[in-house]
Amino acid sequence: MNKSLPNSAITIRVQAADFDVNAEQKNLRELTRSVGAIVSFVGLVRDINDAVSVSSMELEHYPGMTERTIKDIADKANQRWSLLGITVIHRIGALAPTDQIVLVAVSSLHRGDAFQACEYIMDFLKTNAPFWKKEKTSEGERWVDARVTDKKAEQRWHQ
Amino acid sequence: MNKSLPNSAITIRVQAADFDVNAEQKNLRELTRSVGAIVSFVGLVRDINDAVSVSSMELEHYPGMTERTIKDIADKANQRWSLLGITVIHRIGALAPTDQIVLVAVSSLHRGDAFQACEYIMDFLKTNAPFWKKEKTSEGERWVDARVTDKKAEQRWHQ
Amino acid sequence: MIHVLFFASIREQLQTGKLSIELDADGITVAGSASIGLSVSTVEQLIAYLASTYDQSWLPVLSADNVIKAVNQQVVDKNFIISDGDEVAFFPPVTGG
Amino acid sequence: MIHVLFFASIREQLQTGKLSIELDADGITVAGSASIGLSVSTVEQLIAYLASTYDQSWLPVLSADNVIKAVNQQVVDKNFIISDGDEVAFFPPVTGG
């Protein structure tokens, strides 16, 4: 396993602005000409959550701890699989349905590593990174509840 | 399981031209405002394969059977997981290191389905879709050998 | 000085986002107030102190099982010992991504 | 008429990408030639016929274990029965993606 991914190959950003998947993948492709696989996850704001119509949401976070938690997750993924680059971008502030929320993009020589690491990073980000969603819905404002399925997704990796 | 993904939500293209990941993801996002997750795989031409330097490659295919095989794989993924859209684009012709070869993008309500289906489609495409790579290397031209690891990756899904 | 932060639904319930507590040799004092001489060393004791100082309604909010405690941006349990200069945060289960 | 296609390394080894075979009531004939009266019904028999008609060196190439046979763009085994109008393809293990 490659445990020597330099810090420069791990990019973590928390920002209000939207992100450009092409540009982020291009950065990963330019890190090394040996990249054979890039797996990307993009999470989007859905128009309906738990059967209630969502008109917009506000994403709150804990500045500093979010970046630190994501970096720790990325480092662990990098120890576990052979990776060439990791990019994680998470948006904060006001978002509307179909908006992009989060990007996790992982590059590697062979696809198995990138698939596993990308899902691992998302599973731990979901359950550990201090972000909170507050939805404006047809029934008023509400904080989104944490999902048991997300906790189960994380726990798979401990087995 | 959603077994009713309409044909319009499955896009399969075999083309010499490059593809634009942003544009393809945008298409998936516009299919329905309920999309919560998009997982994308991009395969790239590597500069080194089996320890030999690669200067370029030529991708040959079996016109008709490639599209038909990929459609069959996408249909099976759609029966197995709850998906909202599937896009597969595979390039043919002359390609150089760092060029994009293939895109598999899958959208769903929740990320687990998209991750699983994207990897499933790639694993079966690798072992079943009739494409062949011929590399120009520092040691001359050679047809790329099929990998045992790709066959094993496919066989996981039969268990 | 201890920096205390509250996020999301906890911040709303307490109607407070952050506050600072002055530590002195005898215990802690609210910033700008006199020391009240209460000994605080663990996160659990900090919660009791905050409730006694600000509002007893804070006790059940901050003691709830699902409230996450972090000291210096690392998740800890209620027995974690706080030191001068620490940043202590309370927040509900996270829902990003 | 049966359409026969060869791809990649097989195409290069045979120096042929495609050819057509005329089927008649008695058996098959090479397109434009007279019938040779050889009975062909399975993929395996087609391989033997192609080798006898074109070049005996084709027999080991097309009979190799790892050669994939497809009829009408579906993978089949050597015992698959060919019908008039079928498209029969021979190719090595695939390496796309």
Side-chain angles (χ1 to χ4, degrees):
Chain A
M1 282 199 277
N2 172 8
K3 298 183 188 289
S4 60
L5 186 57
N7 272 332
S8 61
I10 299 181
T11 300
I12 291 159
R13 298 208 305 271
V14 176
Q15 61 188 40
D18 199 8
F19 50 79
D20 178 322
V21 178
N22 274 352
E24 300 306 331
Q25 292 207 350
K26 190 157 178 286
N27 289 341
L28 289 174
R29 287 162 66 185
E30 286 171 354
L31 279 175
T32 156
R33 293 163 60 84
S34 298
V35 175
I38 299 178
V39 174
S40 299
F41 172 83
V42 174
L44 303 162
V45 181
R46 294 163 52 201
D47 62 344
I48 293 176
N49 191 20
D50 289 335
V52 175
S53 177
V54 175
S55 61
S56 69
M57 70 161 61
E58 185 74 24
L59 248 156
E60 178 173 339
H61 79 304
Y62 180 172
M65 184 168 171
T66 45
E67 294 86 341
R68 184 181 180 140
T69 304
I70 296 169
K71 176 64 163 60
D72 183 53
I73 297 167
D75 285 343
K76 289 206 174 86
N78 186 43
Q79 279 166 15
R80 193 157 170 163
W81 292 282
S82 185
L83 308 178
L84 295 170
I86 299 171
T87 299
V88 180
I89 304 174
H90 201 296
R91 294 178 70 192
I92 51 172
L95 296 172
T98 79
D99 278 354
Q100 301 187 126
I101 303 171
V102 60
L103 169 70
V104 176
V106 179
S107 60
S108 60
L109 283 175
H110 302 294
R111 71 186 181 286
D113 292 299
F115 269 112
Q116 292 274 99
C118 185
E119 193 166 11
Y120 174 96
I121 292 168
M122 261 318 290
D123 285 348
F124 279 82
L125 186 155
K126 273 267 177 189
T127 47
N128 289 277
F131 294 98
W132 303 274
K133 288 174 183 156
K134 190 176 195 179
E135 294 176 338
K136 281 196 177 123
T137 77
S138 49
E139 300 176 1
E141 289 194 352
R142 64 177 184 186
W143 290 98
V144 172
D145 275 335
R147 289 179 184 277
V148 174
T149 51
D150 285 330
K151 195 65 198 167
K152 283 186 182 158
E154 185 214 287
Q155 284 167 344
R156 289 181 302 158
W157 301 103
H158 296 292
Q159 287 164 0
Chain B
M1 283 198 278
N2 172 9
K3 298 182 188 291
S4 60
L5 186 58
N7 271 333
S8 59
I10 299 181
T11 300
I12 292 159
R13 298 207 306 272
V14 176
Q15 62 187 39
D18 199 8
F19 50 80
D20 178 323
V21 178
N22 274 352
E24 301 305 332
Q25 291 207 352
K26 190 157 178 287
N27 288 342
L28 289 174
R29 286 161 66 186
E30 286 172 354
L31 280 175
T32 156
R33 293 163 61 85
S34 299
V35 175
I38 299 178
V39 174
S40 299
F41 171 83
V42 174
L44 303 162
V45 181
R46 295 164 52 203
D47 62 343
I48 294 175
N49 191 19
D50 288 336
V52 175
S53 176
V54 175
S55 62
S56 68
M57 70 161 59
E58 185 74 25
L59 248 156
E60 180 173 337
H61 79 304
Y62 180 172
M65 184 168 172
T66 44
E67 294 86 343
R68 184 179 180 143
T69 304
I70 296 169
K71 176 65 163 62
D72 182 53
I73 297 167
D75 286 342
K76 288 206 173 86
N78 186 43
Q79 279 165 15
R80 194 158 171 163
W81 293 282
S82 184
L83 307 177
L84 294 170
I86 298 171
T87 299
V88 181
I89 303 175
H90 201 296
R91 294 178 68 192
I92 51 171
L95 296 171
T98 79
D99 279 353
Q100 300 186 127
I101 303 171
V102 61
L103 169 70
V104 177
V106 179
S107 60
S108 59
L109 283 176
H110 302 293
R111 71 186 182 285
D113 292 299
F115 269 113
Q116 292 273 99
C118 186
E119 194 166 11
Y120 173 96
I121 292 168
M122 259 319 289
D123 285 348
F124 279 83
L125 186 156
K126 273 269 180 188
T127 47
N128 289 277
F131 295 98
W132 302 274
K133 289 174 182 155
K134 190 176 194 179
E135 294 175 338
K136 282 197 178 122
T137 77
S138 49
E139 299 177 0
E141 289 193 352
R142 64 176 184 187
W143 290 98
V144 172
D145 275 334
R147 288 179 183 276
V148 174
T149 52
D150 285 330
K151 195 66 199 168
K152 285 186 181 157
E154 186 215 285
Q155 284 167 344
R156 289 181 302 160
W157 301 103
H158 297 291
Q159 285 164 1
Chain C
M1 182 92 89
I2 295 171
H3 305 276
V4 185
L5 303 171
F6 306 107
F7 292 99
S9 56
I10 306 229
R11 173 179 51 70
E12 287 189 344
Q13 286 176 275
L14 306 188
Q15 295 180 287
T16 307
K18 58 178 166 182
L19 49 84
S20 295
I21 293 166
E22 211 53 74
L23 262 190
D24 64 23
D26 300 324
I28 60 172
T29 61
V30 178
S33 317
S35 166
I36 56 165
L38 180 68
S39 168
V40 171
S41 58
T42 67
V43 172
E44 187 172 32
Q45 289 166 327
L46 173 65
I47 292 171
Y49 169 74
L50 290 170
S52 70
T53 307
Y54 291 91
D55 193 320
Q56 281 301 332
S57 72
W58 288 24
L59 191 63
V61 173
L62 294 175
S63 303
D65 274 352
N66 69 347
V67 170
I68 298 164
K69 284 78 72 178
V71 174
N72 299 330
Q73 307 184 354
Q74 306 261 34
V75 173
V76 299
D77 70 22
K78 64 185 182 181
N79 300 314
F80 190 89
I81 294 168
I82 301 166
S83 306
D84 193 20
D86 281 353
E87 177 178 291
V88 183
F90 296 90
F91 49 81
V94 304
T95 57
Chain D
M1 183 94 89
I2 295 171
H3 305 277
V4 185
L5 304 172
F6 307 106
F7 291 100
S9 57
I10 308 239
R11 173 179 51 71
E12 286 189 345
Q13 285 176 276
L14 306 188
Q15 296 181 286
T16 307
K18 60 179 164 181
L19 50 83
S20 294
I21 293 166
E22 213 51 77
L23 262 189
D24 64 23
D26 300 325
I28 60 173
T29 61
V30 179
S33 316
S35 164
I36 56 162
L38 180 67
S39 168
V40 172
S41 57
T42 67
V43 173
E44 186 172 34
Q45 289 167 327
L46 173 65
I47 292 172
Y49 169 74
L50 291 170
S52 72
T53 306
Y54 290 93
D55 193 319
Q56 281 301 332
S57 72
W58 288 25
L59 191 63
V61 172
L62 295 176
S63 304
D65 275 350
N66 69 347
V67 170
I68 297 164
K69 284 79 72 176
V71 174
N72 299 330
Q73 306 184 354
Q74 305 261 32
V75 173
V76 299
D77 69 20
K78 65 185 181 182
N79 299 315
F80 190 89
I81 294 170
I82 302 165
S83 305
D84 194 19
D86 281 353
E87 178 176 290
V88 183
F90 297 89
F91 49 82
V94 304
T95 58

